[in-house]
Amino acid sequence: MSKQEVIRLFKNAQTNPNLREILNSASSLEVFVQIAQQQGYNFTVEEWQKATGLVIEDSESQV
C-alpha cells in the first residue's frame, strides 16, 4: 500500500502547486514524510526510500 501512496503523492504534487510548495519547504526527508502524512499520505521514510529508490547516506558514517 505504501508504494501506491508514494505514487499518489507524486501524481498529486504534479497537478497541485500548493501541495508541491508545501512539500518543497521540507528541510529533511523526515520532515518531508511528516508533511506528507499531515496531508493524508500514509508512508514512512523507509517506505519512501524503497518506493523511490533513493538511498540517503548518513554523512556521519562517512568517516
Side-chain angles (χ1 to χ4, degrees):
M1 180 69 175
S2 61
K3 184 176 181 181
Q4 289 83 7
E5 285 290 284
V6 171
I7 292 168
R8 185 170 74 91
L9 175 62
F10 269 121
K11 287 181 179 180
N12 289 341
Q14 289 176 343
T15 60
N16 183 336
N18 291 329
L19 176 60
R20 189 169 47 245
E21 186 176 329
I22 291 168
L23 293 170
N24 284 337
S25 71
S27 59
S28 68
L29 181 56
E30 289 79 11
V31 173
F32 176 89
V33 170
Q34 288 175 352
I35 292 170
Q37 289 172 343
Q38 292 169 354
Q39 297 295 315
Y41 300 90
N42 186 23
F43 55 85
T44 65
V45 170
E46 293 79 17
E47 291 167 338
W48 168 266
Q49 291 172 325
K50 193 173 195 178
T52 60
L54 297 176
V55 177
I56 305 301
E57 294 182 7
D58 181 5
S59 61
E60 292 178 4
S61 67
Q62 301 295 321
V63 178

